[in-house]
Amino acid sequence: MSTGSCSGPGICGGARRRPPPPPEPALSLAADLSELSLDQGYHTLADCGPPRRRRDNSLSDALWMKILSYLEVSDLCRMSRVCRRWSRFVNRLLARPEPWRRIRAAGPLEIAARCAGARAGLCAGSVREWRMKNTAVSVAGAQLVAATFRNLTHLALTGSTSMDARSLAPLITDLMDLRHLDLTGCLNVDWPEWAWLESRLAARRPPVEYIDLTDCSSVSDAGLCALLHTCPSLQYLYLRRCTLVTDAGVRWVPSYCALKELSMSDCTGVTDFGLYELAKLGQALRYLSVAKCSQVSDSGIRTLARRCYKLRYLNARGCGALGDDGVEAIARGCSRLRALDLGATDVSENGLQILARCCPNLKKLALRGCELVGDDGLEAVAYYCRGLTQLNIQDTPVTLRGYRAVKKYCKRCVIEHTNPGFC
C-alpha cells in the first residue's frame, strides 16, 4: 500500500499540476545582433551611444564669414557675444564698409549716433541708411548724425514724439545726399520756416525725392509750403491724416514739384479747389489718394481726370459726394487706370458699366459700402475687365449671380465679401 499522495484525477479529488516550463537559453546582445539582418531595419540598434553633435568648427571660416555678412550691424554686435571665434569674424566684417551701409539703431538718437560713429571709425562715410523707431530726438543728436554720417541717403525716424522743427533742421541743411525721409508718427514735427532755411541752404537744395509725413498732425500749410520750396526734386509725398493741411497748402504743390505720388487721406480740409490746383500736375501724377476727404465731389474729380490722364491709382474711398458723373469722367479720362477705390460713394450700376467699358485693364477695384451697386454692374465689370485680380464687395447688395459672374470671367480674382451664402 502506497503511502505517497495520489496524483491521479478523480481518485482522491486532487487537481493535476502542470509541469514547470523548460529553462530558456541565455541570450546575449551580441548574439541577437548577429542573427538580425540589415534588411529588417534593425541596423540602427548597433549604435547604442548618444548621437554626435555637429560642431560649428566643421564649417570653414570663409563660409561663416559669408553667412554673417547677411546680418545688419546691430545683429552682428549681438552675434559677437556668442564665442571668441564669432567675435573674431564680426570684427573682421565690421572693418569692411559693406555692413555699414544700413544701420538699425535703438535708444536716444544722440547716444546711438555716438556709439555707431565710434564703432564704425573710418567706415562712417559708408553709411547710407539709418533707421530708428520711437526714439528720443534732440537738436544735439540730429547735429551729431548729420556731422558723423554725411553721406546718408535714407533716414527714417518714426514714432518720435520729441522731434520738432528745430531738431529736423540740421538733417535738412547738412545731409547733402538725403533722398528718402520717413517721419511717420512724429506728432510734433513741422517743416522749418523757409526764411530760416533760405540763408543756410544758399543756392543748394537737398535732392530729397521721398517724404512720408503720415500721422504728423502738426504739419501746417506754411510748413507744407516751406517743404515744397526746399525740395524741388520731390516726387513722392504722403500726408495721410495731416488734418491741418488745407487747400491753401495744396495749391503750392504744382508750383514747385512734379509729384508722381501724393496721398492726402483723411485731410478733411482739402476740397474741390485743391483738386483744381493738383490737376496742373498733368501727366506726371500717377498715384493719388483723397480717401475720406468728404468735401471732394464730382466737380474736382472731373477736372483732375481730364488733365491727369496717366493716372494709375486713385483712392476716393469715403468721398460721399462722388457719384456716376465723377466715375464716368475717371473712366473716359484715365483709361490707363489699374487700381480704383470707390468705397462708400454714390456710384451706381450705370457708372460701373461705363467704367468697365473704358478701363478694361483694371486690376483692383473696391466697392465696399456702395449701396447702389448691383449684379448688372458687377457682371459688366467681370466681362470687360477679365484681368481683375482683387475685388472688394463687402457691405453691398450684390447677390450670388454677380459673384458667379466674377468667378466665371475673372479666374484669378480674389473676392472680399461679407455674404456667407457665396461659395
Side-chain angles (χ1 to χ4, degrees), residues 94 217 258 272 305:
L94 294 183
S217 54
D272 289 335

Side-chain angles (χ1 to χ4, degrees), residues 348-353 356 367 373-383:
S348 66
E349 295 188 351
N350 295 331
L352 279 186
Q353 292 175 357
L367 302 171
V373 172
D375 294 332
D376 295 336
L378 203 61
E379 286 181 346
V381 170
Y383 182 78

Side-chain angles (χ1 to χ4, degrees), residues 283-405:
Q283 60 181 359
L285 190 63
R286 305 298 178 88
Y287 173 106
L288 178 64
S289 176
V290 289
K292 298 183 181 179
C293 295
S294 55
Q295 301 186 61
V296 172
S297 65
D298 292 336
S299 178
I301 294 294
R302 190 184 303 114
T303 305
L304 183 77
R306 185 167 57 250
R307 303 189 63 174
C308 303
Y309 56 90
K310 288 189 177 181
L311 203 63
R312 297 290 191 275
Y313 175 94
L314 177 61
N315 186 352
R317 182 182 71 254
C319 298
L322 179 62
D324 288 341
D325 293 340
V327 173
E328 182 178 357
I330 295 171
R332 299 188 184 281
C334 306
S335 58
R336 304 179 185 183
L337 205 63
R338 296 293 184 272
L340 179 62
D341 192 341
L342 298 173
T345 60
D346 288 337
V347 62
S348 66
E349 295 188 351
N350 295 331
L352 279 186
Q353 292 175 357
I354 297 175
L355 178 67
R357 293 188 179 93
C358 297
C359 299
N361 296 322
L362 202 62
K363 300 295 182 182
K364 298 180 181 180
L365 179 62
L367 302 171
R368 181 173 184 174
C370 296
E371 300 177 353
L372 302 179
V373 172
D375 294 332
D376 295 336
L378 203 61
E379 286 181 346
V381 170
Y383 182 78
Y384 289 102
C385 305
R386 302 199 178 191
L388 201 66
T389 59
Q390 187 173 345
L391 176 65
N392 190 334
I393 52 175
Q394 295 178 349
D395 303 323
T396 59
V398 175
T399 64
L400 190 59
R401 178 167 65 93
Y403 177 83
R404 288 178 175 174

Side-chain angles (χ1 to χ4, degrees), residues 262-273:
L262 175 62
S263 177
M264 301 182 296
S265 302
D266 294 274
C267 295
T268 55
V270 177
T271 66
D272 289 335
F273 294 101

Side-chain angles (χ1 to χ4, degrees), residues 77-133:
C77 293
R78 286 190 289 267
M79 299 296 286
S80 64
R81 305 172 188 173
V82 174
C83 62
R84 294 180 180 179
R85 189 183 183 204
W86 283 17
S87 179
R88 187 171 65 254
F89 292 155
V90 170
N91 290 333
R92 290 167 59 184
L93 284 173
L94 294 183
R96 304 176 181 178
E98 291 81 8
W100 290 101
R101 294 186 180 277
R102 299 181 183 88
I103 294 181
R104 189 184 303 272
L109 179 62
E110 184 176 1
I111 298 176
R114 196 178 304 279
C115 295
R119 192 74 170 87
L122 298 177
C123 296
S126 303
V127 179
R128 296 293 185 271
E129 183 176 340
W130 181 282
R131 294 183 178 274
M132 295 189 73
K133 186 176 181 181

Side-chain angles (χ1 to χ4, degrees), residues 146-379:
T148 308
F149 309 103
R150 291 186 173 274
N151 297 327
L152 278 179
T153 59
H154 290 66
L155 178 62
L157 301 173
T158 59
S160 175
T161 57
S162 59
M163 188 170 188
D164 54 9
R166 294 177 60 251
S167 56
L168 178 61
L171 302 175
I172 301 170
T173 57
D174 298 340
L175 294 177
M176 311 290 289
D177 298 325
L178 188 63
R179 299 181 182 277
H180 183 113
L181 181 61
D182 188 356
L183 301 176
T184 301
C186 297
L187 302 178
N188 299 319
V189 70
D190 193 7
W191 204 261
E193 296 181 0
W194 172 246
W196 185 88
L197 291 173
E198 186 175 11
S199 60
R200 290 163 175 78
L201 292 174
R204 186 194 65 83
R205 297 288 188 275
V208 181
E209 299 177 353
Y210 178 103
I211 296 180
D212 192 345
L213 297 175
T214 299
D215 293 319
C216 296
S217 54
S218 298
V219 175
S220 60
D221 290 332
L224 178 59
C225 182
L227 182 154
L228 297 170
H229 203 169
T230 307
C231 308
S233 303
L234 192 64
Q235 296 183 5
Y236 307 91
L237 178 60
Y238 302 95
L239 301 170
R240 305 181 188 96
R241 291 176 289 280
C242 294
T243 54
L244 298 181
V245 174
T246 64
D247 294 336
V250 173
R251 65 185 293 266
W252 296 106
V253 171
S255 301
Y256 295 104
C257 306
L259 290 182
K260 291 183 179 179
E261 295 188 8
L262 175 62
S263 177
M264 301 182 296
S265 302
D266 294 274
C267 295
T268 55
V270 177
T271 66
D272 289 335
F273 294 101
L275 294 190
Y276 296 157
E277 298 295 331
L278 290 178
K280 297 178 182 179
L281 291 172
Q283 60 181 359
L285 190 63
R286 305 298 178 88
Y287 173 106
L288 178 64
S289 176
V290 289
K292 298 183 181 179
C293 295
S294 55
Q295 301 186 61
V296 172
S297 65
D298 292 336
S299 178
I301 294 294
R302 190 184 303 114
T303 305
L304 183 77
R306 185 167 57 250
R307 303 189 63 174
C308 303
Y309 56 90
K310 288 189 177 181
L311 203 63
R312 297 290 191 275
Y313 175 94
L314 177 61
N315 186 352
R317 182 182 71 254
C319 298
L322 179 62
D324 288 341
D325 293 340
V327 173
E328 182 178 357
I330 295 171
R332 299 188 184 281
C334 306
S335 58
R336 304 179 185 183
L337 205 63
R338 296 293 184 272
L340 179 62
D341 192 341
L342 298 173
T345 60
D346 288 337
V347 62
S348 66
E349 295 188 351
N350 295 331
L352 279 186
Q353 292 175 357
I354 297 175
L355 178 67
R357 293 188 179 93
C358 297
C359 299
N361 296 322
L362 202 62
K363 300 295 182 182
K364 298 180 181 180
L365 179 62
L367 302 171
R368 181 173 184 174
C370 296
E371 300 177 353
L372 302 179
V373 172
D375 294 332
D376 295 336
L378 203 61
E379 286 181 346

